[in-house]
Amino acid sequence: ALQDRIKEMETTLATMDSDKLTALETLQGEQLNRETEIKEHYEEQIENLKQVQIAAEREVHDLREKMESLESREQQLVDQMKKKMEEETTALQDRIKEMETTLATMDTDKLTALETLQGEQL
């Protein structure tokens, strides 16, 4: 009877060990599945971030090109304004010289007329 009891307990312990082993294998399988899911999730997130980074780099490149284009256009406008101002300044200087010449001629004419009047008065 004692030997039967020992065998029964050994069988019970072996069954318990087998159940523990099965439970441990199940937990390890679940943990492996979870780790795989987490790894896949992070890999997906990393791929998404890479795509966002690529898009951002393209946008930065496009913005740089636009900025360079705007700077070039700005320089063209500045150059055009400088040229126009130089032309207007030259035109004004020419007009001033023309007026100075006219005034000088008028002064000469006045002086001649004054001299003529003085000569007539004498």
Side-chain angles (χ1 to χ4, degrees):
L2 187 55
Q3 286 179 345
D4 290 342
R5 184 69 183 132
I6 290 172
K7 281 184 182 179
E8 188 180 306
M9 290 181 79
E10 286 175 348
T11 303
T12 301
L13 287 174
T15 303
M16 289 175 68
D17 285 345
S18 177
D19 290 348
K20 283 182 187 178
L21 186 58
T22 302
L24 182 59
E25 288 171 349
T26 302
L27 284 175
Q28 286 176 337
E30 289 174 1
Q31 185 176 5
L32 183 60
N33 288 341
R34 181 69 183 132
E35 287 173 357
T36 302
E37 287 174 9
I38 290 170
K39 180 182 173 192
E40 288 172 356
H41 173 75
Y42 283 122
E43 287 173 350
E44 184 180 323
Q45 292 298 318
I46 288 169
E47 187 58 35
N48 289 342
L49 288 173
K50 285 179 182 177
Q51 294 302 319
V52 167
Q53 181 182 8
I54 289 169
E57 287 171 354
R58 270 193 221 119
E59 191 170 340
V60 166
H61 176 75
D62 292 347
L63 288 173
R64 279 193 181 124
E65 284 182 346
K66 286 178 184 177
M67 188 174 74
E68 288 169 1
S69 175
L70 287 172
E71 287 172 346
S72 173
R73 180 68 181 133
E74 179 186 28
Q75 188 58 49
Q76 288 174 350
L77 291 172
V78 167
D79 292 345
Q80 286 175 357
M81 287 175 60
K82 282 181 181 178
K83 184 177 180 185
K84 183 136 179 89
M85 287 176 64
E86 287 171 2
E87 289 171 356
E88 289 176 1
T89 300
T90 301
L92 282 172
Q93 288 172 343
D94 291 346
R95 182 72 179 126
I96 289 169
K97 284 181 185 176
E98 186 182 302
M99 291 176 80
E100 287 173 342
T101 302
T102 301
L103 289 173
T105 302
M106 289 173 68
D107 287 345
T108 302
D109 291 347
K110 283 182 189 175
L111 186 59
T112 303
L114 184 59
E115 288 172 348
T116 302
L117 283 174
Q118 286 176 347
E120 289 175 0
Q121 235 177 3
L122 286 175

